[in-house]
Amino acid sequence: MAATPLKVCILGSGNWGSAVAKIIGNNVKKLQKFASTVKMWVFEETVNGRKLTDIINNDHENVKYLPGHKLPDNVFIHRICDEITGRVPKKTLGISLIKGIDEGPEGLKLISDIIREKVGIDISVLMGANTANDVAADEFCETTIGSKEMKNGLLFKELLQTPNFLITVVDDADTVELCGALKNIVAVGAGLCDGLRYGDNTKAAVIRLGLVEMISFARIFCKGQVSTATFLESCGVADLITTCYGGRNRKVAEAFVRTGKTIEELEREMLDGQKLQGPQTSAEVYRILKKKGLIDKFPLFTAVYQICYEGKPVQDLLSCLQYHPVRT
């Protein structure tokens, strides 16, 4: 007797969620293991007088967050419940595409840990050099799935991989997730560098020292063993380079320097309501480091936070590069 097809749903419909929905919607049509209809859950918004859910369901395009890219006609949207805790079967498997961290009573709290604890299911993570518009346009890229249970990671690889979206699965899941969050702080530093009109040599130093701090942070705060090889996967150095040259954290940080506007003002003007991950993550990391008395060991992460939120002069970014403790 054939196994019941696995149902797939997507929580969230921003630009990245919509790009992934396009991949999944096309893949499940060809894979008998998965049910042919994909449901997407979204907070309702009104765009040009129409509900965003109606636009996606009927026009098959997320005109607000991923305009110009048609979604497969088997992707449908429902409004997300305020709480899904207690309503998700324990055999459900999840994969987080959220690039951020949170704080807990003991310091670092990964988003996957929060989902795992609240919903009570196994959570893998997907992080990589995956700019949403490029993925939606089917341009070649790589990505990384981190999974504490390799069989679950391999299942998600089957669901998500295409000839132009190649996936590597590793069991160093916490490091994969941290890479996805911390690289956004470095990208803000790169954008500040661009705003100051520094050259590529200076920006390369930001990227290198940022990678050093990412590795150091992971070694201190990850619960399991950290593999240096994970930083050579797409979730590590590749995502870092992509974000520091083409991501919105870089773009908004450059505008922050050149316009003198606040991060909040630029989010409203440049991101159409979406929140910027880098500054927010820098604030969470700063509080975690301060609690542990480690601020001096992470001068780039600290400078990004202080420039964005405490009025530290942008020009001070250079001094944190010149006198970084990695040199002493």
Side-chain angles (χ1 to χ4, degrees), residues 120-273:
I121 62 174
D122 185 73
I123 295 289
S124 300
V125 296
L126 183 148
M127 308 285 158
N130 313 138
T131 304
N133 286 344
D134 292 349
V135 172
D138 200 30
E139 295 185 10
F140 177 83
C141 67
E142 301 173 313
T143 196
T144 311
I145 288 178
S147 185
K148 298 180 187 297
E149 295 285 342
M150 284 295 288
K151 64 179 182 180
N152 296 342
L154 293 171
L155 179 64
F156 282 114
K157 177 177 179 176
E158 188 175 356
L159 174 66
L160 288 159
Q161 183 162 264
T162 75
N164 282 339
F165 191 66
L166 295 187
I167 298 172
T168 299
V169 182
V170 301
D171 60 5
D172 192 6
D174 289 353
T175 303
V176 171
E177 187 169 3
L178 266 183
C179 282
L182 298 178
K183 57 92 182 180
N184 286 322
I185 304 176
V186 185
V188 173
L192 298 175
C193 186
D194 290 340
L196 291 166
R197 292 183 168 85
Y198 292 155
D200 284 341
N201 295 338
T202 309
K203 190 169 177 177
V206 169
I207 295 171
R208 185 186 79 83
L209 293 171
L211 180 59
V212 169
E213 293 193 14
M214 287 170 61
I215 295 171
S216 297
F217 191 94
R219 286 176 173 164
I220 293 171
F221 290 99
C222 278
K223 294 185 287 290
Q225 186 174 0
V226 173
S227 172
T228 304
T230 302
F231 291 91
L232 301 180
E233 298 289 349
S234 180
C235 64
V237 66
D239 196 11
L240 181 61
I241 292 170
T242 296
T243 310
C244 286
Y245 278 92
R248 58 188 179 182
N249 286 282
R250 185 219 65 80
K251 184 179 180 180
V252 174
E254 180 181 16
F256 175 81
V257 178
R258 297 190 179 179
T259 67
K261 296 179 179 179
T262 66
I263 294 295
E264 291 77 12
E265 289 173 322
L266 293 169
E267 285 175 334
R268 289 192 295 269
E269 293 177 12
M270 300 176 69
L271 301 183
D272 202 14

Side-chain angles (χ1 to χ4, degrees), residues 271-283:
L271 301 183
D272 202 14
Q274 296 191 91
K275 301 297 289 183
L276 198 64
Q277 297 150 318
Q280 181 178 325
T281 303
S282 76

